[in-house]
Amino acid sequence: MEQINPSAVPTRNAQKAAPAGPGAEGGASTIKRLSSELMTLMMSSSPGISAFPKSDSNLYEWAGTIEGPAGTVYAGLCYKISISFPPNYPYVAPTIKYDSPCYHPNVDIKSGAICLDILQDQWSAIYSVQTILLSLQSLLGEPNNASPLNPDAANLWDTPEEFKAQVLKHYRAATDDSA
Amino acid sequence: MATDALRAQIAGKWQSAFSRLNRGEPGISGLLSFSEAWDIAAEFLHPRDLTDPTSKKDHDMQKVKGAFDTLSKAKMLPLLLENFLESMRKQKYHIEREVSQFMSQYDNTDDCQYIAALVLRLIEWYKAWAPIPELGYTILSAYTLAFHTQTFSILPPSFSRGFKSLIASTLVLVDSATPPTWANHPALEHSHPRRPDMPLWNAFDQLGLLDRYESLISSVCYEHIETHIQESCSGKWGEPMLARLREWMAEKVVPWMIMPYARGARSTDEARSMLQGIGSRFDFHVCKTLSDLRTKEIFDIIIDYPDSLCALQDLKECLQRVDQRTELVQTLRKANKKRLLHPGADTKDILLQYVSIIRCLRIIDPPGVLLFKVADPIRKYLRERPDTIRCIVASLVGDGESGDSLVDENEPIQPLQQLQVDDYTDPNWEPEPIDAGPEFRTNKPSDVISTLVSIYDSKDLFVKELQVLLAQRLLSIKDGNFERERRNIEILKIRFGESALQVCEVMLRDMTDSKRIDQHVQSQRSMSLHPTIISRHFWPPLQSSTITMPGQFNELQDEYSKQYATFKPDKKLRWLPHLGSIQLELTLQDRTVSADVPPLEAAFIELFSEKDTWPIDELRAKVGNVDRISAGKALATWVELGVLRAEGDGTYRLLEVAEEIASSGSAQSTRHVPLAEEEAPAIMTVQQQQAEQMKVYWKFIEGMLTNLGQLSLDRIQSMLKLAPGYDRTVEQLAGFMEAARREGLVIVKDGVWKLNR
């Protein structure tokens, strides 16, 4: 069930090293914070974004879903992401990457790594899973072409037709059957 | 080739035989007298044909006796007997003929008097053929046996049926004044028996019929007992029947029993000892029949309780004598299943019957084994009914109008009893009854409420339901008299314990506090608004509404809030404007209308003071988007009162001047309308609360299925632990998922669920 997309496999090992043994360092306050964020996220009905822990025994690893916002080239597409919370969350930002290959100026097409200020130096403890997901969703429609992880995509951004063709070329629909 | 030795042996034998017959008389004169004696004896003993009068001869008894003596001396009596029995066999056809005559008469008429006649005729044959008693017991008994054998071989199969009905007819003979038809039989002419049936029984005995048909005779008696019990006891539960039946046995059946079973008794004591065995068998049968009957009726007996107390006590006594407990349990379980535990039965009725069953079976079987076995399916069934708790709770607080309460008023109020462990140090301890199953739990004679509450594993459910019920009742009280509720709460405190009812206590406090606060506020500034102020945290969720009160009502609310805020600066009022009722007096051009109406009605009519005509949608928007149906209902109230008029296109117009048609019906200018009752209950029931919770869990399920793809039921269940307060079982979850599937939200394939999109 965890293998949502086979393309995520190569980067998995690097990912796992980051949150070492959750529960050991992760205090009860982190768990509590994550539970309450889950509750808030579930009860809020933000369209197109969603996330849930991958297993009930480990609250630090979540799987998420982002639907492309309407009116952008990503409209109608659905991307899977994985969220990994550090033990000292929310004081440190979670690590997020795309599991589905995403052709986007600020996303590394191979590793799925994301370049977003609030996930790096602009992180603040007042952010939550919900705000991150919303930011990621809006990032799809409004990329920051100044600091691209995918320069080709950044260059193509101004020609929407070609850009969209590239997006669709790389896009792979997340199907449940791939699990 | 005969040898000499053989010849000598034969000669010796012949010699001794000759000398035996000749008896040492000279010459062969002994032999001659022997042969004469044989002839006389054989002629005397010859079985003659009774129907032939010529066959009857007078014998010189002197001569006959002499002849027998001679034969006895010659040791020829056994041979004579053999000869006699052989000729009996030859003469059998005489009897056979007559028997078949009687039997064909019986077969044609089915009248058992022919059987009686047959029996008496057989006795005549028997007597006629009997050898004289001087011949000794051996010959007599040999004759009797032979005669019995002969007759039994003659009697056709239908005889036993006729015999049975003859016996049955003797039962009523005991106390009938008219002698039976067969009593005039010629054979009985000179006898004057003590009882009319006496000679018949003697005849039976002589013919060996009593031994042969013993079981038939007792079955007649059994059937007699059964019919009597059916007739006298069916449906009579109000009086003790067993004692009466025993009396009946002693008066009617025992005297009859003397005949077949104790005819030979010379004294009462002897008769008593002879009757003991059979008597106790019949007594057992009485008990068994009665217990069978009562077992069959048990369901209705329980319905009739306590009027049927006597029947229950009878049953208890019977069950001690006969082992019918299993039958009772099975019958009652079957009856319960058929008549009680089906969708057509009201939960309240089921509970009532269950309580009656508890009470009844405790009478029959104080240790409670029967009850445990019978109650189990009922409890299981009740657990599945959604409104069981509400019914129990309603009866706990004594729903005045519901008539018969589950709880006996006289029963002392006790704390709920927990399951008790056997106290083996108790000197009065008794082991569990022998038919108690392994699951049997000793439920010490506890009160009914404890038993009912124990249907569920925890009493928390009851307390929750109790809160809902209390909330409904408190909010519906208009005169401010909470004494009854207070009393109920005090009673329930004894049962459930102080701490469980703390919330209820707060609710009650809220009511009295509201009154006090209102008095204070009114003293500051008199207002026509009297709110009930409740502590949200301690009340079950109230149904919310979007309604906002317009115009003067809103001003009133604001004003009140202000006053309240000065009185209790740390608290804030949140209005629930859709609850309560409003007394209105409308002053129109030509009339005043006073009415006691729900808030929505009041809100609408308030709007009509602004302008005379409103479209319904505009009205709805003004009071906070109430749904169309309730809006229509509220407006209809005014239309009915002749205050508004529906214009047809969805607009309503105020009738400043009463319309002809509206006022022609009733001339009064002032009318009182009862408050429109039957609103949706303001309090969410426990069920609704659960459904509300399930909505939250559905969000979680949706979330996990969106992000994790497809999941098995077990996985969903374990993932739901992440949701706060999740306490459903997998079964409940399965039911919920199934419901979601029916709504098309999810699909399931090979046991894994995923979102349907």
Side-chain angles (χ1 to χ4, degrees):
Chain A
M1 207 59 72
E2 273 187 42
Q3 296 181 346
I4 285 159
N5 196 317
S7 69
V9 172
T11 53
R12 174 143 307 193
N13 294 337
Q15 190 71 28
K16 268 205 176 142
E25 303 140 66
S29 64
T30 310
I31 298 280
K32 206 174 156 195
R33 160 91 183 213
L34 287 172
S35 312
S36 87
E37 281 198 20
L38 179 63
M39 184 69 187
T40 320
L41 184 65
M42 287 301 114
M43 293 324 286
S44 73
S45 43
S46 322
I49 58 161
S50 173
F52 206 81
K54 288 178 182 171
S55 121
D56 57 306
S57 53
N58 184 0
L59 265 180
Y60 291 88
E61 297 286 339
W62 290 26
T65 311
I66 296 175
E67 283 171 25
T72 67
V73 288
Y74 297 97
L77 305 185
C78 181
Y79 290 96
K80 292 275 175 192
I81 59 169
S82 56
I83 309 168
S84 183
F85 295 95
N88 46 357
Y89 179 81
Y91 302 107
V92 173
T95 314
I96 300 183
K97 63 177 195 62
Y98 274 89
D99 284 344
S100 325
C102 177
Y103 188 80
H104 185 274
N106 303 109
V107 178
D108 184 54
I109 189 79
K110 284 208 184 76
S111 68
I114 303 161
C115 176
L116 181 63
D117 52 356
I118 64 161
L119 290 179
Q120 278 116 24
D121 48 348
Q122 292 297 305
W123 171 253
S124 152
I126 60 160
Y127 292 138
S128 68
V129 182
Q130 196 178 1
T131 52
I132 295 169
L133 290 172
L134 284 171
S135 306
L136 284 175
Q137 196 182 27
S138 60
L139 184 69
L140 284 176
E142 299 153 11
N144 181 4
N145 286 323
S147 58
L149 271 179
N150 185 343
D152 297 344
N155 292 335
L156 268 179
W157 178 255
D158 290 330
T159 48
E161 287 81 25
E162 282 178 53
F163 188 86
K164 182 151 194 190
Q166 284 296 318
V167 166
L168 292 176
K169 193 179 131 196
H170 287 94
Y171 178 72
R172 217 168 320 141
T175 56
D176 295 324
D177 302 323
S178 68
Chain B
M1 276 298 130
T3 60
D4 286 347
L6 187 62
R7 229 173 264 143
Q9 205 180 353
I10 291 172
K13 276 217 168 175
W14 188 86
Q15 194 60 44
S16 76
F18 174 78
S19 61
R20 188 161 43 113
L21 293 178
N22 204 24
R23 302 180 310 280
E25 299 284 325
I28 57 162
S29 64
L31 204 58
L32 285 176
S33 69
F34 168 79
S35 129
E36 194 183 341
W38 176 272
D39 283 344
I40 293 173
E43 171 61 26
F44 173 74
L45 278 183
H46 182 72
R48 61 198 175 82
D49 183 5
L50 270 183
T51 49
D52 179 11
T54 57
S55 70
K56 189 166 173 146
K57 284 173 197 156
D58 288 326
H59 294 279
D60 180 354
M61 286 314 282
Q62 209 62 33
K63 256 175 148 183
V64 172
K65 278 207 178 106
F68 278 119
D69 278 345
T70 315
L71 290 177
S72 166
K73 271 182 205 144
K75 299 203 175 91
M76 286 306 282
L77 279 181
L79 210 64
L80 181 72
L81 180 65
E82 223 167 87
N83 183 48
F84 167 60
L85 295 181
E86 180 57 33
S87 51
M88 250 175 81
R89 228 183 326 276
K90 283 184 189 145
Q91 296 291 339
K92 193 173 95 176
Y93 67 94
H94 293 301
I95 301 180
E96 216 170 331
R97 198 181 54 221
E98 287 198 358
V99 166
S100 64
Q101 262 172 25
F102 280 115
M103 284 317 292
S104 66
Q105 271 174 311
Y106 168 73
D107 287 340
N108 290 338
T109 57
D110 248 357
D111 187 347
C112 65
Q113 65 154 313
Y114 292 108
I115 301 290
L118 167 64
V119 169
L120 293 172
R121 181 66 181 170
L122 280 173
I123 282 296
E124 282 180 62
W125 284 99
Y126 174 78
K127 280 183 184 153
W129 287 6
I132 48 168
E134 283 85 348
L135 285 178
Y137 178 73
T138 332
I139 291 190
L140 263 182
S141 68
Y143 161 72
T144 312
L145 185 67
F147 190 83
H148 289 173
T149 323
Q150 304 282 340
T151 35
F152 292 159
S153 72
I154 295 168
L155 293 174
S158 62
F159 175 77
S160 54
R161 189 165 54 86
F163 185 66
K164 197 172 168 184
S165 61
L166 179 60
I167 301 279
S169 77
T170 62
L171 267 171
V172 291
L173 215 63
V174 178
D175 48 3
S176 91
T178 53
T181 41
W182 43 261
N184 304 321
H185 195 272
L188 305 173
E189 250 166 15
H190 306 293
S191 59
H192 296 284
R194 274 184 292 140
R195 291 166 42 159
D197 57 338
M198 180 91 168
L200 199 62
W201 287 108
N202 283 332
F204 292 156
D205 190 32
Q206 277 175 331
L207 292 174
L209 293 170
L210 285 187
D211 293 333
R212 189 174 161 85
Y213 292 107
E214 195 188 2
S215 61
L216 197 124
I217 293 170
S218 49
S219 80
V220 167
C221 194
Y222 286 153
E223 279 166 26
H224 185 61
I225 291 172
E226 280 162 26
T227 354
H228 179 78
I229 292 180
Q230 284 293 346
E231 278 167 7
S232 63
C233 301
S234 293
K236 277 191 197 157
W237 307 321
E239 39 202 320
M241 293 313 288
L242 193 61
R244 197 167 299 178
L245 283 173
R246 289 199 163 127
E247 253 169 53
W248 172 79
M249 285 292 287
E251 274 173 22
K252 308 273 160 158
V253 182
V254 171
W256 174 85
M257 275 161 58
I258 292 171
M259 279 299 116
Y261 299 108
R263 223 168 333 96
R266 277 178 297 270
S267 67
T268 349
D269 284 338
E270 204 179 335
R272 191 167 298 144
S273 71
M274 285 168 95
L275 286 176
Q276 208 160 38
I278 187 78
S280 93
R281 255 162 62 199
F282 284 147
D283 185 57
F284 179 87
H285 196 70
V286 168
C287 289
K288 182 166 158 29
T289 314
L290 188 61
S291 95
D292 280 350
L293 178 70
R294 292 293 184 245
T295 302
K296 218 161 56 192
E297 299 171 327
I298 187 73
F299 191 83
D300 296 298
I301 291 179
I302 292 171
I303 290 178
D304 260 25
Y305 181 85
D307 295 339
S308 55
L309 188 67
C310 293
L312 291 165
Q313 269 153 358
D314 278 350
L315 186 57
K316 178 186 178 182
E317 210 176 327
C318 289
L319 284 179
Q320 281 164 354
R321 187 124 163 65
V322 296
D323 187 30
Q324 300 274 14
R325 289 160 66 97
T326 345
E327 279 79 3
L328 181 68
V329 168
Q330 271 163 3
T331 315
L332 190 50
R333 278 176 78 138
K334 217 179 275 170
N336 281 337
K337 201 173 161 209
K338 192 173 154 210
R339 297 178 58 178
L340 195 62
L341 308 180
H342 58 77
D346 205 27
T347 306
K348 193 157 175 49
D349 292 339
I350 299 179
L351 280 171
L352 263 178
Q353 180 73 353
Y354 178 41
V355 170
S356 294
I357 289 175
I358 293 174
R359 297 217 168 100
C360 291
L361 292 189
R362 281 220 182 282
I363 292 173
I364 297 174
D365 170 53
V369 179
L370 293 186
L371 176 61
F372 179 78
K373 289 182 174 172
V374 172
D376 208 36
I378 305 179
R379 294 167 68 88
K380 271 190 191 137
Y381 184 82
L382 281 174
R383 223 171 290 160
E384 282 168 16
R385 282 230 169 180
D387 56 341
T388 303
I389 295 189
R390 202 165 325 141
C391 277
I392 297 174
V393 171
S395 73
L396 274 181
V397 298
D399 231 350
E401 65 273 16
S402 61
D404 34 11
S405 161
L406 294 173
V407 196
D408 190 353
E409 297 284 321
N410 305 324
E411 224 168 83
I413 300 157
Q414 317 165 309
L416 287 184
Q417 285 161 343
Q418 299 301 323
L419 202 63
Q420 285 156 331
V421 185
D422 273 357
D423 178 12
Y424 296 113
T425 59
D426 179 4
N428 296 322
W429 178 86
E430 276 181 27
E432 285 173 0
I434 196 149
D435 52 348
E439 283 165 23
F440 176 71
R441 292 177 296 178
T442 21
N443 222 343
K444 290 277 155 13
S446 53
D447 70 328
V448 168
I449 290 300
S450 298
T451 317
L452 289 180
V453 172
S454 71
I455 291 178
Y456 295 88
D457 293 331
S458 82
K459 59 182 185 183
D460 294 355
L461 284 170
F462 283 88
V463 176
K464 250 188 210 164
E465 194 64 54
L466 199 63
Q467 278 172 33
V468 172
L469 202 80
L470 182 69
Q472 276 170 358
R473 292 168 73 101
L474 286 179
L475 289 185
S476 65
I477 289 175
K478 296 224 164 59
D479 56 359
N481 183 5
F482 307 111
E483 275 322 298
R484 228 177 86 105
E485 308 307 321
R486 174 155 297 288
R487 192 180 139 263
N488 280 334
I489 295 294
E490 291 301 329
I491 291 172
L492 291 169
K493 265 192 202 161
I494 302 174
R495 290 198 194 280
F496 287 92
E498 194 96 18
S499 56
L501 289 178
Q502 213 172 9
V503 175
C504 296
E505 189 72 5
V506 174
M507 288 162 68
L508 213 52
R509 264 273 303 282
D510 275 350
M511 299 309 281
T512 44
D513 280 358
S514 307
K515 226 160 133 189
R516 210 164 39 80
I517 292 168
D518 190 50
Q519 267 165 10
H520 176 84
V521 172
Q522 299 290 345
S523 71
Q524 299 298 312
R525 203 187 140 179
S526 182
M527 265 183 284
S528 52
L529 181 64
H530 303 281
T532 298
I533 300 160
I534 61 174
S535 322
R536 190 166 74 102
H537 191 69
F538 291 93
W539 283 65
L542 295 165
Q543 270 171 2
S544 56
S545 162
T546 52
I547 178 172
T548 52
M549 297 303 279
Q552 54 169 334
F553 299 120
N554 201 14
E555 283 163 27
L556 271 174
Q557 285 178 357
D558 288 349
E559 185 60 36
Y560 203 100
S561 296
K562 230 176 274 165
Q563 290 293 333
Y564 183 79
T566 49
F567 182 48
K568 301 232 170 194
D570 53 338
K571 288 186 181 160
K572 195 171 163 276
L573 281 183
R574 231 184 68 192
W575 294 92
L576 293 169
H578 59 295
L579 301 177
S581 76
I582 295 161
Q583 255 186 348
L584 281 178
E585 197 159 295
L586 309 178
T587 314
L588 301 166
Q589 264 178 23
D590 62 335
R591 65 200 192 280
T592 43
V593 174
S594 50
D596 202 354
V597 291
L600 188 60
E601 270 88 334
F604 281 145
I605 208 68
E606 169 73 15
L607 289 170
F608 277 96
S609 63
E610 291 173 23
K611 59 176 183 176
D612 280 357
T613 318
W614 290 86
I616 184 165
D617 290 327
E618 217 169 297
L619 282 171
R620 280 170 53 216
K622 275 277 184 183
V623 296
N625 278 325
V626 293
D627 65 285
R628 230 194 148 86
I629 296 169
S630 31
K633 236 185 244 167
L635 289 166
T637 313
W638 293 119
V639 172
E640 217 158 275
L641 284 172
V643 177
L644 296 182
R645 214 182 88 169
E647 295 291 2
D649 56 348
T651 59
Y652 287 83
R653 191 165 61 79
L654 182 67
L655 300 172
E656 277 289 356
V657 180
E659 275 190 345
E660 276 307 300
I661 312 138
S663 53
S664 66
S666 50
Q668 305 124 300
S669 57
T670 315
R671 272 189 279 175
H672 289 273
V673 217
L675 173 67
E677 288 288 347
E678 299 302 323
E679 301 167 66
I683 318 283
M684 277 200 230
T685 62
V686 173
Q687 266 173 290
Q688 281 170 315
Q689 290 177 37
Q690 282 179 348
E692 205 62 30
Q693 279 177 342
M694 216 55 217
K695 270 187 207 156
V696 176
Y697 301 142
W698 167 247
K699 294 270 189 193
F700 276 80
I701 295 170
E702 204 177 13
M704 68 180 82
L705 290 178
T706 309
N707 295 297
L708 306 179
Q710 46 191 15
L711 293 173
S712 70
L713 195 65
D714 288 340
R715 193 81 197 283
I716 297 175
Q717 172 77 359
S718 69
M719 290 295 253
L720 274 174
K721 281 185 204 131
L722 296 172
Y726 182 76
D727 58 352
R728 304 300 150 90
T729 61
V730 185
E731 289 75 30
Q732 282 172 318
L733 176 68
F736 178 74
M737 292 303 285
E738 191 50 38
R741 189 187 64 78
R742 276 198 297 274
E743 281 181 39
L745 297 170
V746 286
I747 46 178
V748 61
K749 199 182 149 200
D750 303 331
V752 279
W753 298 82
K754 59 180 178 183
L755 288 176
N756 185 19
R757 46 168 89 185

